[in-house]
Amino acid sequence: MKNPMNLEGHNIIVTGAGQGIGEAVSRLVVDLGGRAILVDLQGDKVNALADDLGADNADVYVGSVAEPGFVQDMVNKAVAKNGAVHGLVNNAGIVRAAMAHKMPIDTWQQVIDVNLSGVFYCLQAVGRHMLDRNKEGDNSPASIVNISSDAGRRGTIGQINYGAAKSGVMGLTMSAAREWSGKGIRINTICFGVVETEMTETIRSDKFRDGVMAQVPMGRFSDPEEVSQPVCFLLSQAASYITGQHLSVNGGYTIGV
Ligand code: NAD
């Protein structure tokens, strides 16, 4: 039987590919037969990952998703080199914590720039390319996965910038899906709970761990490898009738909310 999650022939941009969830998604894309187009600020990390994946399986672009010029140039180059881009995982993200009443404006803006505007810049640049392909009668796969968070569904304490950006990502998914799903492009959100990466070191520390864990019905956190699988599911033809949805991957964290 053909594996419906096979990604052979798919060229997939993964932002924030240097570590954590983005690295795991990139590795799984390649394991499933696809080519990973790695985007990150951390050149040393994405270059090392590309070396590990092999030149036939990966490209590297070093820069910030918060720079629209870099994003458009990166997409143009990825299309010129590979002929087409079939998938985008909008994964790059940052955290800059402060209580709402104390949050400096630049701390607010930094997170909005990367976690919301950065997602839009990548979605727009890749979406334009996918629309052009559709117009030319090319019906090859086109799937965008936007990474959000439970913080976007239920708010968060001490990260109003992050919560607002992640709610905004869900809005981007719904609007883009309404505009583009009739043109062969699927757009979905994944909302993670707590995944063991550098980003969650503080909430997994002794001070917060038990309180957070008590809200997870499955009684454990996840790791990047486990959560990379539903991302690749949404990229693949196994999800061919799914668009405009928000899938929580969180051990049941949002049940009852
Ligand atoms: P991480 O901090 O381990 O990795 C983030 C990566 O994004 C890094 O490699 C970093 O260099 C890159 N990056 C940051 N700013 C960038 C920019 N402007 N341009 C390009 N690359 C940039 O984080 P992670 O835990 O792997 O998180 C990945 C995504 O998942 C983020 O969007 C995060 O908000 C989301 N998320 C994570 C969790 C979790 O529990 N870890 C939960 C919910 C949502």
Side-chain angles (χ1 to χ4, degrees):
M1 182 197 157
K2 191 177 180 315
N3 176 4
M5 278 181 60
N6 189 311
L7 293 176
E8 272 169 35
H10 293 218
N11 303 313
I12 294 170
I13 295 174
V14 182
T15 70
Q19 65 182 48
I21 296 165
E23 177 183 351
V25 168
S26 304
R27 289 186 183 280
L28 186 56
V29 162
V30 171
D31 280 349
L32 289 166
R35 184 177 185 83
I37 299 163
L38 313 172
V39 179
D40 207 290
L41 283 173
Q42 303 186 84
D44 51 343
K45 290 200 172 171
V46 266
N47 279 308
L49 177 59
D51 285 349
D52 201 28
L53 293 172
D56 289 344
N57 299 318
D59 299 327
V60 168
Y61 296 94
V62 178
S64 174
V65 297
E67 297 292 335
F70 163 75
V71 169
Q72 189 61 60
D73 190 49
M74 174 273 290
V75 172
N76 291 348
K77 286 177 174 157
V79 171
K81 179 165 185 199
N82 298 298
V85 169
H86 305 98
L88 164 67
V89 184
N90 255 319
N91 168 79
I94 57 170
V95 173
R96 299 285 183 273
M99 296 303 278
H101 62 292
K102 293 182 183 164
M103 183 170 284
I105 298 301
D106 65 333
T107 303
W108 163 265
Q109 198 61 51
Q110 282 167 15
V111 171
I112 297 299
D113 286 350
V114 176
N115 294 15
L116 183 58
S117 299
V119 171
F120 172 67
Y121 301 146
C122 294
L123 175 136
Q124 186 187 53
V126 171
R128 283 173 173 158
H129 157 67
M130 289 173 166
L131 288 170
D132 286 347
R133 282 202 344 251
N134 180 266
K135 216 170 174 180
E136 290 159 6
D138 175 348
N139 293 320
S140 55
S143 173
I144 298 174
V145 181
N146 295 323
I147 302 301
S148 180
S149 165
D150 284 344
R153 285 196 190 271
R154 51 186 264 166
T156 181
I157 296 171
Q159 298 180 357
I160 196 168
N161 46 2
Y162 185 87
K166 292 300 190 185
S167 296
V169 166
M170 297 164 83
L172 291 182
T173 291
M174 292 186 289
S175 293
R178 281 175 174 250
E179 292 190 21
W180 297 344
S181 293
K183 296 181 171 128
I185 309 172
R186 295 183 299 101
I187 305 99
N188 292 288
T189 315
I190 288 203
C191 299
F192 293 127
V194 180
V195 185
E196 289 162 352
T197 67
E198 206 174 294
M199 186 178 275
T200 54
E201 274 172 4
T202 305
I203 59 168
R204 290 185 291 109
S205 67
D206 290 347
K207 186 173 172 193
F208 300 111
R209 185 185 176 88
D210 290 350
V212 177
M213 188 71 89
Q215 300 174 62
V216 184
M218 285 183 72
R220 64 175 176 85
F221 299 141
S222 190
D223 62 31
E225 287 70 32
E226 184 176 29
V227 303
S228 67
Q229 296 175 88
V231 176
C232 288
F233 161 69
L234 287 175
L235 287 170
S236 77
Q237 287 303 93
S240 58
Y241 198 49
I242 302 176
T243 194
Q245 303 303 305
H246 314 306
L247 174 63
S248 277
V249 176
N250 62 6
Y253 188 42
T254 44
I255 290 173
V257 175

